Amino acid sequence: EDQVTQSPEALRLQEGESSSLNCSYTVSGLRGLFWYRQDPGKGPEFLFTLYSAGEEKEKERLKATLTKKESFLHITAPKPEDSATYLCAVQAWYGQNFVFGPGTRLSVLP
Amino acid sequence: EAGVTQSPTHLIKTRGQQATLRCSPISGHTSVYWYQQALGLGLQFLLWYDEGEERNRGNFPPRFSGRQFPNYSSELNVNALELEDSALYLCASSFESVSSYNEQFFGPGTRLTVL
């Protein structure tokens, strides 16, 4: 069974304090790993897709990396507006469903 | 380009009633996914429709059902509402292709409250 775990559950950072969020997964044949950002009461916003181990993607202060067992979302010099829940999801080649992790709730304090 | 739209934004029902939620996908997307997100919980997969057919469903009872119309819009029906059905219901759309990677794009959600 495909599984996704995320750590930490919650993270509080000071503005400018860089850190990383972890997404660990087990899937038989990874088709894609996806990162989303979700603000309270809203739909998730697509950030990145990673396809193969060693791949990296960047967007503003965010950088996502992928290994065979986990993905990291690095946040460099975060700002209060980066506060949100960050969700990780995987899709296997043999199925179309996304399996989402529970998310990491990030708070960036000014 | 318009994103995924959902209606209504909020829906209040009483236990035992039926609820109908609607979703319009991004133009050109043929697949629609429905998810349930209860307060403080993660996204739970409900249903996947592609080209008008139900392709897969999550671990939910049969009173959760839906359909996809010829224009690829979709509706989710929840019968015999229970208190625990209160949640944010999210719709996502994607362009399905075995040769491409199909990110899902989400709508703003419908907040269903069952009293």
Side-chain angles (χ1 to χ4, degrees):
Chain A
E1 183 181 337
D2 302 338
Q3 286 191 333
V4 179
T5 59
Q6 293 187 246
S7 62
E9 182 177 324
L11 181 63
R12 297 182 74 175
L13 300 173
Q14 289 295 133
E15 185 172 1
E17 180 186 2
S18 301
S19 187
S20 295
L21 313 182
N22 176 265
C23 169
S24 295
Y25 63 91
T26 54
V27 62
S28 299
L30 180 70
R31 182 178 185 183
L33 184 141
F34 307 85
W35 281 99
Y36 289 84
R37 168 200 168 120
Q38 186 177 26
D39 293 307
K42 297 188 177 181
E45 174 190 345
F46 171 73
L47 293 174
F48 303 110
T49 306
L50 299 167
Y51 309 132
S52 57
E55 188 175 5
E56 298 182 354
K57 293 261 179 90
E58 286 190 69
K59 180 181 179 180
E60 297 180 351
R61 295 177 292 283
L62 300 176
K63 178 175 153 182
T65 62
L66 180 66
T67 72
K68 288 188 176 181
K69 293 295 182 186
E70 57 190 353
S71 176
F72 292 93
L73 185 65
H74 308 276
I75 303 177
T76 301
K79 299 181 178 182
E81 53 262 42
D82 295 322
S83 297
T85 295
Y86 290 86
L87 301 168
C88 168
V90 297
Q91 184 185 38
W93 276 108
Y94 56 80
Q96 302 291 346
N97 297 348
F98 277 30
V99 176
F100 278 85
T104 291
R105 190 171 62 255
L106 174 67
S107 300
V108 182
L109 307 176
Chain B
E1 179 181 312
V4 177
T5 59
Q6 292 186 245
S7 63
T9 304
H10 294 91
L11 190 57
I12 299 175
K13 295 286 185 178
T14 57
R15 198 169 51 181
Q17 286 188 314
Q18 178 196 41
T20 299
L21 290 64
R22 296 180 175 83
C23 172
S24 292
I26 292 171
S27 178
H29 285 187
T30 59
S31 273
V32 170
Y33 297 78
W34 287 96
Y35 294 86
Q36 181 194 68
Q37 188 175 36
L39 193 62
L41 299 180
L43 274 75
Q44 301 297 315
F45 167 70
L46 266 167
L47 290 159
W48 169 38
Y49 292 95
D50 182 55
E51 296 284 359
E53 300 285 333
E54 180 181 304
R55 300 297 186 184
N56 203 356
R57 66 180 293 129
N59 188 24
F60 281 85
R63 58 190 187 83
F64 287 85
S65 65
R67 54 179 171 167
Q68 186 177 34
F69 299 98
N71 66 353
Y72 302 113
S73 67
S74 175
E75 67 179 28
L76 173 69
N77 295 293
V78 188
N79 294 319
L81 285 165
E82 300 179 2
L83 296 178
E84 52 264 35
D85 296 333
S86 295
L88 182 68
Y89 288 83
L90 293 160
C91 170
S93 74
S94 72
F95 174 71
E96 293 298 320
S97 169
V98 295
S99 61
S100 69
Y101 300 92
N102 39 14
E103 296 89 356
Q104 293 183 14
F105 295 90
F106 284 83
T110 292
R111 171 70 64 187
L112 173 63
T113 301
V114 183
L115 303 176

